[in-house]
PDB file of all heavy atoms in Angstrom:
ATOM      1  N   PRO I 237     139.008 105.622  68.878  1.00  0.00           N
ATOM      2  CA  PRO I 237     137.844 106.280  68.269  1.00  0.00           C
ATOM      3  C   PRO I 237     136.594 105.427  68.443  1.00  0.00           C
ATOM      4  O   PRO I 237     136.660 104.217  68.607  1.00  0.00           O
ATOM      5  CB  PRO I 237     138.238 106.417  66.784  1.00  0.00           C
ATOM      6  CG  PRO I 237     139.272 105.349  66.575  1.00  0.00           C
ATOM      7  CD  PRO I 237     140.005 105.207  67.865  1.00  0.00           C
ATOM      8  N   ASP I 238     135.428 106.061  68.402  1.00  0.00           N
ATOM      9  CA  ASP I 238     134.184 105.362  68.600  1.00  0.00           C
ATOM     10  C   ASP I 238     133.973 104.281  67.562  1.00  0.00           C
ATOM     11  O   ASP I 238     133.318 103.240  67.819  1.00  0.00           O
ATOM     12  CB  ASP I 238     132.992 106.357  68.541  1.00  0.00           C
ATOM     13  CG  ASP I 238     133.115 107.410  69.619  1.00  0.00           C
ATOM     14  OD1 ASP I 238     133.809 107.171  70.612  1.00  0.00           O
ATOM     15  OD2 ASP I 238     132.506 108.506  69.449  1.00  0.00           O
ATOM     16  N   SER I 239     134.494 104.467  66.365  1.00  0.00           N
ATOM     17  CA  SER I 239     134.295 103.513  65.262  1.00  0.00           C
ATOM     18  C   SER I 239     135.017 102.182  65.554  1.00  0.00           C
ATOM     19  O   SER I 239     134.728 101.175  64.884  1.00  0.00           O
ATOM     20  CB  SER I 239     134.818 104.095  63.961  1.00  0.00           C
ATOM     21  OG  SER I 239     136.177 104.488  64.062  1.00  0.00           O
ATOM     22  N   SER I 240     135.902 102.136  66.536  1.00  0.00           N
ATOM     23  CA  SER I 240     136.630 100.903  66.844  1.00  0.00           C
ATOM     24  C   SER I 240     135.978 100.042  67.904  1.00  0.00           C
ATOM     25  O   SER I 240     136.494  98.974  68.213  1.00  0.00           O
ATOM     26  CB  SER I 240     138.067 101.263  67.330  1.00  0.00           C
ATOM     27  OG  SER I 240     138.766 102.022  66.365  1.00  0.00           O
ATOM     28  N   ILE I 241     134.875 100.518  68.451  1.00  0.00           N
ATOM     29  CA  ILE I 241     134.266  99.819  69.608  1.00  0.00           C
ATOM     30  C   ILE I 241     133.902  98.385  69.245  1.00  0.00           C
ATOM     31  O   ILE I 241     134.239  97.436  69.965  1.00  0.00           O
ATOM     32  CB  ILE I 241     133.027 100.571  70.125  1.00  0.00           C
ATOM     33  CG1 ILE I 241     133.472 101.874  70.817  1.00  0.00           C
ATOM     34  CG2 ILE I 241     132.203  99.710  71.080  1.00  0.00           C
ATOM     35  CD1 ILE I 241     132.323 102.728  71.319  1.00  0.00           C
ATOM     36  N   PHE I 242     133.238  98.192  68.105  1.00  0.00           N
ATOM     37  CA  PHE I 242     132.808  96.836  67.754  1.00  0.00           C
ATOM     38  C   PHE I 242     134.005  95.931  67.466  1.00  0.00           C
ATOM     39  O   PHE I 242     134.009  94.741  67.834  1.00  0.00           O
ATOM     40  CB  PHE I 242     131.874  96.870  66.554  1.00  0.00           C
ATOM     41  CG  PHE I 242     131.177  95.547  66.273  1.00  0.00           C
ATOM     42  CD1 PHE I 242     129.986  95.259  66.904  1.00  0.00           C
ATOM     43  CD2 PHE I 242     131.732  94.631  65.403  1.00  0.00           C
ATOM     44  CE1 PHE I 242     129.373  94.052  66.670  1.00  0.00           C
ATOM     45  CE2 PHE I 242     131.113  93.420  65.174  1.00  0.00           C
ATOM     46  CZ  PHE I 242     129.918  93.127  65.798  1.00  0.00           C
ATOM     47  N   ALA I 243     135.042  96.511  66.830  1.00  0.00           N
ATOM     48  CA  ALA I 243     136.205  95.698  66.438  1.00  0.00           C
ATOM     49  C   ALA I 243     136.974  95.166  67.645  1.00  0.00           C
ATOM     50  O   ALA I 243     137.500  94.075  67.608  1.00  0.00           O
ATOM     51  CB  ALA I 243     137.129  96.547  65.548  1.00  0.00           C
ATOM     52  N   ILE I 244     137.025  95.979  68.729  1.00  0.00           N
ATOM     53  CA  ILE I 244     137.818  95.559  69.886  1.00  0.00           C
ATOM     54  C   ILE I 244     136.979  94.854  70.943  1.00  0.00           C
ATOM     55  O   ILE I 244     137.536  94.358  71.935  1.00  0.00           O
ATOM     56  CB  ILE I 244     138.536  96.772  70.547  1.00  0.00           C
ATOM     57  CG1 ILE I 244     137.505  97.760  71.074  1.00  0.00           C
ATOM     58  CG2 ILE I 244     139.470  97.434  69.541  1.00  0.00           C
ATOM     59  CD1 ILE I 244     138.107  98.940  71.784  1.00  0.00           C
ATOM     60  N   MET I 245     135.663  94.787  70.745  1.00  0.00           N
ATOM     61  CA  MET I 245     134.817  94.251  71.768  1.00  0.00           C
ATOM     62  C   MET I 245     135.143  92.772  72.102  1.00  0.00           C
ATOM     63  O   MET I 245     134.919  92.330  73.240  1.00  0.00           O
ATOM     64  CB  MET I 245     133.344  94.382  71.361  1.00  0.00           C
ATOM     65  CG  MET I 245     132.350  94.035  72.476  1.00  0.00           C
ATOM     66  SD  MET I 245     132.520  95.025  73.954  1.00  0.00           S
ATOM     67  CE  MET I 245     131.868  96.591  73.396  1.00  0.00           C
ATOM     68  N   SER I 246     135.633  92.024  71.160  1.00  0.00           N
ATOM     69  CA  SER I 246     135.953  90.635  71.407  1.00  0.00           C
ATOM     70  C   SER I 246     137.058  90.459  72.447  1.00  0.00           C
ATOM     71  O   SER I 246     137.172  89.380  73.061  1.00  0.00           O
ATOM     72  CB  SER I 246     136.349  89.923  70.114  1.00  0.00           C
ATOM     73  OG  SER I 246     137.499  90.556  69.572  1.00  0.00           O
ATOM     74  N   ARG I 247     137.865  91.498  72.647  1.00  0.00           N
ATOM     75  CA  ARG I 247     138.927  91.437  73.639  1.00  0.00           C
ATOM     76  C   ARG I 247     138.510  92.015  74.987  1.00  0.00           C
ATOM     77  O   ARG I 247     139.299  91.921  75.945  1.00  0.00           O
ATOM     78  CB  ARG I 247     140.174  92.231  73.115  1.00  0.00           C
ATOM     79  CG  ARG I 247     140.748  91.738  71.791  1.00  0.00           C
ATOM     80  CD  ARG I 247     141.383  90.394  71.976  1.00  0.00           C
ATOM     81  NE  ARG I 247     142.413  90.409  72.968  1.00  0.00           N
ATOM     82  CZ  ARG I 247     143.676  90.789  72.723  1.00  0.00           C
ATOM     83  NH1 ARG I 247     144.033  91.182  71.515  1.00  0.00           N
ATOM     84  NH2 ARG I 247     144.556  90.765  73.671  1.00  0.00           N
ATOM     85  N   VAL I 248     137.358  92.608  75.046  1.00  0.00           N
ATOM     86  CA  VAL I 248     136.925  93.303  76.263  1.00  0.00           C
ATOM     87  C   VAL I 248     136.227  92.310  77.211  1.00  0.00           C
ATOM     88  O   VAL I 248     135.408  91.476  76.794  1.00  0.00           O
ATOM     89  CB  VAL I 248     135.965  94.462  75.902  1.00  0.00           C
ATOM     90  CG1 VAL I 248     135.329  95.046  77.137  1.00  0.00           C
ATOM     91  CG2 VAL I 248     136.707  95.539  75.127  1.00  0.00           C
ATOM     92  N   ASN I 249     136.552  92.396  78.487  1.00  0.00           N
ATOM     93  CA  ASN I 249     135.926  91.540  79.492  1.00  0.00           C
ATOM     94  C   ASN I 249     134.634  92.135  80.117  1.00  0.00           C
ATOM     95  O   ASN I 249     133.761  91.422  80.540  1.00  0.00           O
ATOM     96  CB  ASN I 249     136.911  91.268  80.658  1.00  0.00           C
ATOM     97  CG  ASN I 249     138.167  90.573  80.203  1.00  0.00           C
ATOM     98  OD1 ASN I 249     139.217  91.177  80.134  1.00  0.00           O
ATOM     99  ND2 ASN I 249     138.045  89.289  79.869  1.00  0.00           N
ATOM    100  N   LYS I 250     134.558  93.465  80.117  1.00  0.00           N
ATOM    101  CA  LYS I 250     133.430  94.102  80.774  1.00  0.00           C
ATOM    102  C   LYS I 250     133.290  95.527  80.233  1.00  0.00           C
ATOM    103  O   LYS I 250     134.267  96.195  79.967  1.00  0.00           O
ATOM    104  CB  LYS I 250     133.676  94.164  82.289  1.00  0.00           C
ATOM    105  CG  LYS I 250     132.434  94.299  83.145  1.00  0.00           C
ATOM    106  CD  LYS I 250     132.789  94.214  84.624  1.00  0.00           C
ATOM    107  CE  LYS I 250     132.820  92.775  85.094  1.00  0.00           C
ATOM    108  NZ  LYS I 250     134.099  92.224  85.374  1.00  0.00           N
ATOM    109  N   VAL I 251     132.022  95.969  80.067  1.00  0.00           N
ATOM    110  CA  VAL I 251     131.745  97.353  79.663  1.00  0.00           C
ATOM    111  C   VAL I 251     131.132  98.061  80.873  1.00  0.00           C
ATOM    112  O   VAL I 251     130.170  97.555  81.471  1.00  0.00           O
ATOM    113  CB  VAL I 251     130.739  97.389  78.476  1.00  0.00           C
ATOM    114  CG1 VAL I 251     130.379  98.864  78.150  1.00  0.00           C
ATOM    115  CG2 VAL I 251     131.368  96.735  77.237  1.00  0.00           C
ATOM    116  N   ILE I 252     131.723  99.193  81.237  1.00  0.00           N
ATOM    117  CA  ILE I 252     131.218  99.971  82.376  1.00  0.00           C
ATOM    118  C   ILE I 252     130.769 101.345  81.862  1.00  0.00           C
ATOM    119  O   ILE I 252     131.560 102.092  81.269  1.00  0.00           O
ATOM    120  CB  ILE I 252     132.279 100.123  83.461  1.00  0.00           C
ATOM    121  CG1 ILE I 252     132.691  98.759  84.005  1.00  0.00           C
ATOM    122  CG2 ILE I 252     131.780 101.002  84.596  1.00  0.00           C
ATOM    123  CD1 ILE I 252     133.719  98.778  85.105  1.00  0.00           C
ATOM    124  N   LEU I 253     129.506 101.642  82.076  1.00  0.00           N
ATOM    125  CA  LEU I 253     128.924 102.898  81.598  1.00  0.00           C
ATOM    126  C   LEU I 253     128.402 103.742  82.734  1.00  0.00           C
ATOM    127  O   LEU I 253     128.078 103.228  83.815  1.00  0.00           O
ATOM    128  CB  LEU I 253     127.726 102.577  80.642  1.00  0.00           C
ATOM    129  CG  LEU I 253     128.006 101.713  79.427  1.00  0.00           C
ATOM    130  CD1 LEU I 253     126.697 101.414  78.690  1.00  0.00           C
ATOM    131  CD2 LEU I 253     128.999 102.373  78.482  1.00  0.00           C
ATOM    132  N   GLY I 254     128.317 105.035  82.493  1.00  0.00           N
ATOM    133  CA  GLY I 254     127.638 105.960  83.404  1.00  0.00           C
ATOM    134  C   GLY I 254     126.200 106.170  82.923  1.00  0.00           C
ATOM    135  O   GLY I 254     125.829 105.715  81.822  1.00  0.00           O
ATOM    136  N   ALA I 255     125.405 106.845  83.713  1.00  0.00           N
ATOM    137  CA  ALA I 255     124.008 107.095  83.336  1.00  0.00           C
ATOM    138  C   ALA I 255     123.623 108.529  83.709  1.00  0.00           C
ATOM    139  O   ALA I 255     124.052 109.056  84.746  1.00  0.00           O
ATOM    140  CB  ALA I 255     123.078 106.122  84.060  1.00  0.00           C
ATOM    141  N   HIS I 256     122.826 109.143  82.824  1.00  0.00           N
ATOM    142  CA  HIS I 256     122.260 110.444  83.136  1.00  0.00           C
ATOM    143  C   HIS I 256     120.951 110.258  83.937  1.00  0.00           C
ATOM    144  O   HIS I 256     120.687 111.051  84.860  1.00  0.00           O
ATOM    145  CB  HIS I 256     121.968 111.197  81.841  1.00  0.00           C
ATOM    146  CG  HIS I 256     121.255 112.498  82.031  1.00  0.00           C
ATOM    147  ND1 HIS I 256     121.866 113.589  82.644  1.00  0.00           N
ATOM    148  CD2 HIS I 256     119.977 112.890  81.771  1.00  0.00           C
ATOM    149  CE1 HIS I 256     120.995 114.601  82.692  1.00  0.00           C
ATOM    150  NE2 HIS I 256     119.855 114.203  82.196  1.00  0.00           N
TER     151      HIS I 256
END
Side-chain angles (χ1 to χ4, degrees):
D238 299 338
S239 56
S240 303
I241 288 178
F242 191 87
I244 64 176
M245 189 58 73
S246 60
R247 302 291 303 276
V248 172
N249 299 106
K250 202 175 274 108
V251 175
I252 299 181
L253 303 174
H256 175 69

